[in-house]
Amino acid sequence: KAGVTQTPRYLIKTRGQQVTLSCSPISGHRSVSWYQQTPGQGLQFLFEYFSETQRNKGNFPGRFSGRQFSNSRSEMNVSTLELGDSALYLCASNRGGSTDTQYFGPGTRLTVL
Amino acid sequence: KQEVTQIPAALSVPEGENLVLNCSFTDSAIYNLQWFRQDPGKGLTSLLLIQSSQREQTSGRLNASLDKSSGRSTLYIAASQPGDSATYLCAVIRETSGSRLTFGEGTQLTVNP
C-alpha cells in the first residue's frame, strides 16, 4: 500500500511569489491535514479537509489556503510569500475518524529568499 | 487551549540502555494520543496510537502508556540502539477537533554506540 506522497519535495521561491504544494493521501483515506514545521514554532496545524470540505482551520493568515479534490488529493497554496514562510510543510492522512492513526508524508521543504 | 509538553528536550544515552520519554497535556478531553518519530529533515513516522480508553500499547521494544486523568503519557524504549536516534514527538487529538493533532516540542534522542 503506497504511503502519503507530497510534491514537490523542495522549492525555492522569492518574497512576494505564490506557491502550490500537493499531497496525495493513502488510498481510501478521506481526511488530509496540513502542518507547518519550523525550528522556532515546532509543528503548527494549518487546516484539515474531509470529503472536499474544510473541517478545521488553524491560526494562519488568509494567505494560506487549501482545497481537496474528489479523489481526496489536496493542495495547499501560499500567496505573497514572506521570509517567515520558509519551513517544512507536512501533510497527513487518515480515514477520517478522530480515533484513526494519522500517516504523514515526507514533506515539502520551502525556502523563501 | 490544549498544550502539550515533552520532557526532556534532549537525551543522550549509551547503547543498550532502557529509557523513558515523557509527554504531558493540559486538557484531558482527548480522543487519543499518538507517538511519532522524526529523522532529520524527514516526515513523521507513526510509532504507537493509544485511544483514550486504553492504558498502554506495545510494539516491539516500544511501550507507551496513557494516564488521561493526570494528563500524562510515557514512551518506554527498551535496549536502545543507535538506530533509535531521532526526535520523538507526542501529539493529542481533542474531542472537538476532528483529526487535528496538537504536538509537543519533541525529545531529541541520541543513542551512542
Side-chain angles (χ1 to χ4, degrees), chain A:
Chain A
K1 195 173 185 181
V4 180
T5 59
Q6 291 187 245
T7 57
R9 294 293 312 280
Y10 302 92
L11 267 177
I12 299 177
K13 293 285 188 178
T14 57
R15 281 184 302 172
Q17 287 187 308
Q18 75 165 15
V19 66
T20 299
L21 313 181
S22 179
C23 173
S24 293
I26 292 172
S27 177
H29 286 191
R30 296 166 64 191
S31 168
V32 174
S33 299
W34 288 90
Y35 294 83
Q36 180 195 66
Q37 186 176 32
T38 59
Q41 298 296 318
L43 276 152
Q44 301 288 316
F45 173 79
L46 283 154
F47 30 64
E48 177 202 359
Y49 286 87
F50 178 76
S51 294
E52 302 180 64
T53 300
Q54 189 179 85
R55 185 159 72 171
N56 272 292
K57 188 177 187 305
N59 297 322
F60 278 80
R63 299 185 298 108
F64 292 82
S65 63
R67 60 176 176 171
Q68 186 179 35
F69 302 95
S70 59
N71 62 357
S72 292
R73 188 177 72 85
S74 177
E75 287 183 348
M76 187 190 92
N77 183 273
V78 188
S79 62
T80 319
L81 284 166
E82 301 177 357
L83 295 178
D85 297 333
S86 293
L88 180 66
Y89 290 88
L90 295 161
C91 79
S93 78
N94 72 354
R95 291 176 299 173
S98 298
T99 57
D100 296 335
T101 298
Q102 298 212 34
Y103 298 91
F104 279 77
T108 294
R109 171 71 64 185
L110 172 64
T111 302
V112 182
L113 302 176

Side-chain angles (χ1 to χ4, degrees), chain A residues 31 33 35 37 41-43 45 48 55-58 88 90 94 96-102 104-106 109, chain B residues 31-32 34 36 38 41-46 49 51 89 93-105:
Chain A
S31 168
S33 299
Y35 294 83
Q37 186 176 32
Q41 298 296 318
L43 276 152
F45 173 79
E48 177 202 359
R55 185 159 72 171
N56 272 292
K57 188 177 187 305
L88 180 66
L90 295 161
N94 72 354
S98 298
T99 57
D100 296 335
T101 298
Q102 298 212 34
F104 279 77
R109 171 71 64 185
Chain B
Y31 270 133
N32 62 47
Q34 197 165 352
F36 295 92
Q38 185 175 32
K42 302 292 179 64
L44 277 62
T45 300
S46 177
L49 172 74
Q51 305 292 355
L89 296 143
I93 289 184
R94 297 175 63 189
E95 291 179 355
T96 56
S97 64
S99 296
R100 173 178 182 164
L101 289 163
T102 300
F103 283 89
E105 293 294 322

Side-chain angles (χ1 to χ4, degrees), chain A residues 39-44, chain B residues 4-6 87-90 103-107:
Chain A
Q41 298 296 318
L43 276 152
Q44 301 288 316
Chain B
V4 181
T5 304
Q6 291 188 245
T87 296
Y88 290 80
L89 296 143
C90 71
F103 283 89
E105 293 294 322
T107 293

Side-chain angles (χ1 to χ4, degrees), chain B residues 23-86:
Chain B
C23 172
S24 62
F25 47 95
T26 54
D27 184 353
S28 62
I30 63 168
Y31 270 133
N32 62 47
L33 184 146
Q34 197 165 352
W35 282 93
F36 295 92
R37 167 191 172 133
Q38 185 175 32
D39 293 286
K42 302 292 179 64
L44 277 62
T45 300
S46 177
L47 297 173
L48 290 165
L49 172 74
I50 311 177
Q51 305 292 355
S52 61
S53 59
Q54 298 175 320
R55 297 286 292 184
E56 66 178 276
Q57 281 286 336
T58 298
S59 176
R61 295 183 294 109
L62 305 179
N63 176 277
S65 68
L66 174 65
D67 185 339
K68 187 179 168 183
S69 61
S70 67
R72 293 166 64 178
S73 176
T74 60
L75 178 66
Y76 175 83
I77 302 177
S80 57
Q81 304 170 358
D84 294 331
S85 298

